[in-house]
Amino acid sequence: MKSYDELTIQDNFIFQKIMRNKRICKQTLERLLNIDIRDISYPEEEKTIDVRLDSKSIRMDVYVNDDKGTIYNIEMQTSKDMEELVKRARYYQALIDIDLLEKGQDYETLNNTFVIFICTFEVFSGKLHKYTFRNLCVENHGIELEDGTTKMFLSTKGEADDIAGPLKIFLDYMDGHAPADDFTKEIDSEVVVAKKREEWRREYMTLALEIEKEKKVSKMEGLIEGKSEGKSIVNRLNQILLSANRYDDLERATNDAAYQEELIKELLPDEQ
């Protein structure tokens, strides 16, 4: 992970902190969606959705709702794996709906939702800055499902003339350009202030240590699992050789790893 001094608005940690400024978050949404919002609120300090013990939980960068009950989830994305990102948007939308609908409530009570990804790379293939997705009929694109869900992917690397000035200035700033209007200058000032907050520095360092620990644990579990699986394959090979009275092969395989691998390919091809 980067050191705290290297962080920018593109990094989730700083982005989350800046978007805790209600005025900045509200204006960001208004620019991204080209709408006016009277007010927003934060239902939780850090929104985490964990539906079941055996399901993947999510912790959202920015999760707010407006005075009309519309839910907005904004995420900074620097990973260029679009297939993973598209499925992530689907999963986020599903968990938001599950979290919103309490047992016994009617489906009509589901809030309108926006899942918004700000990407620091080119998305899809049209060179656009903004891609908005709603559910349309395949046979007649004029018919919209109107289920209240919207997914939006914004690219700081767009080249087309598809967005207005304020949004272009915002995305350019998110791409690393100098702030070019009062709003992006305000964000930039907040970033400078954030970098001086010692409690946030300590929080980030603690987070970095936790992530490093998780990586080590995951690596160790993978090694253990790999050793266990390898031992199981060798045991099955030995049983086959014994059953076939191939004692010479068994003895040689015990002392010759390359020959053992040849026998596994011959006798256990599905394990390759």
Side-chain angles (χ1 to χ4, degrees):
M1 292 180 67
K2 296 180 180 178
S3 70
Y4 190 71
D5 292 326
E6 293 176 309
L7 298 181
T8 69
I9 190 66
Q10 291 184 353
D11 295 288
N12 284 350
F13 187 86
I14 293 295
F15 181 72
Q16 282 181 304
K17 297 301 185 185
I18 300 306
M19 289 300 151
R20 293 302 303 173
N21 182 315
K22 188 175 180 179
R23 182 179 64 258
I24 288 178
C25 186
K26 175 177 173 293
Q27 290 187 51
T28 296
L29 284 169
E30 290 178 331
R31 284 203 180 196
L32 298 184
L33 302 173
N34 193 28
I35 59 175
D36 291 321
I37 299 174
R38 182 185 300 175
D39 192 20
I40 63 170
S41 60
Y42 299 82
E44 299 175 24
E45 184 70 21
E46 287 188 355
K47 182 64 176 178
T48 299
I49 300 179
D50 192 358
V51 181
R52 300 194 319 264
L53 290 175
D54 59 344
S55 66
K56 184 178 180 66
S57 63
I58 58 173
R59 184 169 66 180
M60 299 183 174
D61 285 356
V62 181
Y63 183 97
V64 298
N65 58 269
D66 65 15
D67 53 292
K68 298 178 181 178
T70 303
I71 300 295
Y72 304 93
N73 168 225
I74 316 174
E75 304 285 325
M76 276 298 305
Q77 295 293 332
T78 56
S79 170
K80 297 182 180 181
D81 187 344
M82 279 305 298
E83 182 178 357
E84 190 271 346
L85 197 60
V86 169
K87 293 296 179 67
R88 180 191 292 259
R90 169 183 166 181
Y91 190 66
Y92 277 31
Q93 178 63 66
L95 287 197
I96 289 171
D97 285 346
I98 292 172
D99 186 62
L100 288 172
L101 195 64
E102 296 180 2
K103 186 176 181 179
Q105 281 188 305
D106 294 332
Y107 294 112
E108 289 84 354
T109 63
L110 277 171
N111 309 57
N112 290 338
T113 60
F114 286 81
V115 175
I116 304 169
F117 287 162
I118 302 175
C119 305
T120 59
F121 50 89
E122 182 179 328
V123 299
F124 304 109
S125 58
K127 303 290 186 181
L128 299 178
H129 293 86
K130 185 176 181 179
Y131 298 83
T132 305
F133 294 89
R134 297 193 181 94
N135 291 320
L136 300 177
C137 175
V138 173
E139 291 75 18
N140 184 345
H141 291 182
I143 301 175
E144 184 177 337
L145 192 58
E146 296 185 359
D147 60 354
T149 65
T150 302
K151 301 178 185 69
M152 181 179 293
F153 297 83
L154 294 148
S155 171
T156 65
K157 302 296 186 185
E159 299 177 11
D161 184 21
D162 61 320
I163 55 176
L167 179 54
K168 179 66 164 59
I169 290 171
F170 176 81
L171 291 179
D172 283 347
Y173 172 70
M174 300 300 288
D175 196 44
H177 295 245
D181 65 1
D182 289 342
F183 180 55
T184 50
K185 288 177 182 177
E186 181 182 3
I187 296 176
D188 201 55
S189 296
E190 288 290 315
V191 172
V192 172
V193 171
K195 300 289 282 293
K196 296 178 181 179
R197 297 279 293 270
E198 286 303 315
E199 66 270 30
W200 288 357
R201 181 185 294 271
R202 289 193 296 271
E203 182 182 339
Y204 178 75
M205 291 174 65
T206 301
L207 176 64
L209 289 172
E210 289 177 354
I211 290 175
E212 187 63 28
K213 181 179 178 181
E214 287 176 3
K215 286 182 178 178
K216 289 180 179 178
V217 170
S218 178
K219 182 178 180 181
M220 184 61 67
E221 288 175 345
L223 289 172
I224 292 172
E225 182 179 346
K227 287 181 180 179
S228 176
E229 183 179 351
K231 190 178 292 184
S232 175
I233 292 172
V234 171
N235 287 339
R236 289 202 295 277
L237 173 65
N238 292 343
Q239 289 171 1
I240 291 172
L241 294 174
L242 283 171
S243 299
N245 298 322
R246 294 173 62 172
Y247 303 115
D248 290 342
D249 287 333
L250 177 60
E251 182 177 0
R252 181 180 172 186
T254 303
N255 300 295
D256 187 338
Y259 187 62
Q260 185 181 79
E261 190 66 29
E262 288 180 18
L263 291 173
I264 290 173
K265 289 180 181 178
E266 174 194 343
L267 302 172
L268 296 166
D270 292 340
E271 303 294 343
Q272 303 301 306

